[in-house]
Amino acid sequence: MLKSPDGEEDPEVIPEDTTLETLRIRKKALDKREESIIIDRPCRTETFIYEMESQPVGKRPNNPEDLVEEGDLLLTLNIYCPVIFEKHKENKPYQTVLVLGSQKLTELRDSISCVSDLQIGGEFSSQPDQAPDHISKDLYKAAFFYFEGVFYNDKRHPECRDLSRTVIEWSKSHDRGYGNLQAVNMEGYTFNDLSLKIGFPYLYCHQGDCEHIVTITDIRLIHRDDCLDRTRYPLLIKKPWLYTRKCFVCKMYIASVTSSWTFSVREFWD
């Protein structure tokens, strides 16, 4: 706890003569924020992250059957943007989720949000406001996780392809040193069944070639201050700040249409 020179506790004021490097860095950031015209964006971002992390703390289920059992594992996973995006190559995690050790891999797979799953197939230029009948996630349901030499394929639907087969055949065609890669169905495995390394980069692949790096940052036993409602897991505790553009004409509303010209790009709303 920070204290003022007269000895009274004051958590809002950072002393000028502090010797803690972390407080020096924070004071420098706060001073810079006060001089910047975008003062509210970092504040809103920090508030947004805090609310997402604190909102489920201590939650109990209404149905006793949904209470998380004592001794269950709680894993923290970071899911990154697709590696094909160069600008996100060294970016922060796209999502941070909490999963229970007793949950199946399919539950994590269904909770991951990616713009590739929201793509629309077809021509809608004449009716841009028409709601599509299907999105890519409905049409191309195949996906896999890769953990420690094993491909966990999503085979819950008859139309799901084995996306890992090409990689396994490529590995076997010439002895490439990857060992004996295996492929199993993810719906038959929970996180308790896996052997994982903390901080090691694993893979989640869907839509054929949309690949996300997945890392486990923490594994611990669940305690009473955690969310104990099983229905809330996988629990999203962090997601990216969405940057939007205002209409170039009115400067008030969020742009919904982008017009690309030879000399510039402008955004408009209807």
Side-chain angles (χ1 to χ4, degrees), residues 220-231:
R220 61 178 175 84
L221 293 176
I222 198 166
H223 54 72
R224 63 181 183 181
D225 292 332
D226 290 315
C227 176
L228 299 181
D229 188 352
R230 178 178 293 275
T231 60

Side-chain angles (χ1 to χ4, degrees), residues 9-206:
E9 296 180 352
D10 189 355
E12 301 297 331
V13 179
I14 299 178
E16 295 288 345
D17 58 346
T18 180
T19 57
L20 293 176
E21 187 64 22
T22 52
L23 290 182
R24 289 181 180 178
I25 295 174
R26 179 159 183 81
K27 180 173 178 56
K28 183 178 179 180
L30 292 175
D31 292 341
K32 182 178 180 181
R33 183 180 300 174
E34 292 180 357
E35 301 172 358
S36 174
I37 61 175
I38 59 172
I39 177 175
D40 61 335
R41 174 167 289 176
C43 294
R44 293 201 309 268
T45 304
E46 291 178 2
T47 303
F48 175 69
I49 293 174
Y50 172 76
E51 289 180 349
M52 286 202 65
E53 292 179 343
S54 60
Q55 192 269 340
V57 171
K59 292 291 184 181
R60 263 55 172 185
N62 295 325
N63 187 352
E65 295 182 357
D66 295 328
L67 184 67
V68 177
E69 296 181 2
E70 182 180 359
D72 204 346
L73 289 179
L74 188 65
L75 296 85
T76 304
L77 288 85
N78 283 340
I79 301 166
Y80 292 81
C81 288
V83 296
I84 58 175
F85 294 159
E86 185 65 25
K87 67 177 181 178
H88 296 313
K89 187 175 181 181
E90 299 178 355
N91 205 350
K92 295 179 180 179
Y94 178 69
Q95 291 178 308
T96 301
V97 296
L98 300 178
V99 296
L100 300 173
S102 58
Q103 287 189 296
K104 294 183 179 296
L105 299 183
T106 50
E107 297 182 64
L108 174 62
R109 183 261 190 275
D110 293 337
S111 70
I112 296 177
S113 175
C114 177
V115 68
S116 297
D117 288 331
L118 305 178
Q119 295 182 88
I120 302 172
E123 176 58 49
F124 294 91
S125 299
S126 59
Q127 297 176 321
D129 297 327
Q130 179 183 351
D133 296 330
H134 302 284
I135 58 176
S136 294
K137 191 172 184 178
D138 300 327
L139 299 176
Y140 310 107
K141 301 177 181 180
F144 71 76
F145 288 105
Y146 176 77
F147 295 117
E148 298 296 328
V150 181
F151 291 92
Y152 296 89
N153 291 290
D154 187 353
K155 302 286 286 184
R156 291 174 292 175
H157 307 281
E159 60 269 27
C160 287
R161 297 175 53 192
D162 185 355
L163 297 180
S164 65
R165 183 178 60 182
T166 302
V167 180
I168 295 177
E169 291 177 352
W170 170 83
S171 176
K172 291 181 178 180
S173 60
H174 301 84
D175 189 10
R176 303 181 187 272
Y178 289 100
N180 184 24
L181 299 178
Q182 302 177 24
V184 297
N185 296 341
M186 71 167 69
E187 55 268 28
Y189 289 83
T190 66
F191 285 93
N192 288 335
D193 301 324
L194 308 183
S195 177
L196 302 171
K197 300 176 184 176
I198 293 181
F200 193 83
Y202 296 111
L203 182 66
Y204 167 63
C205 179
H206 66 124

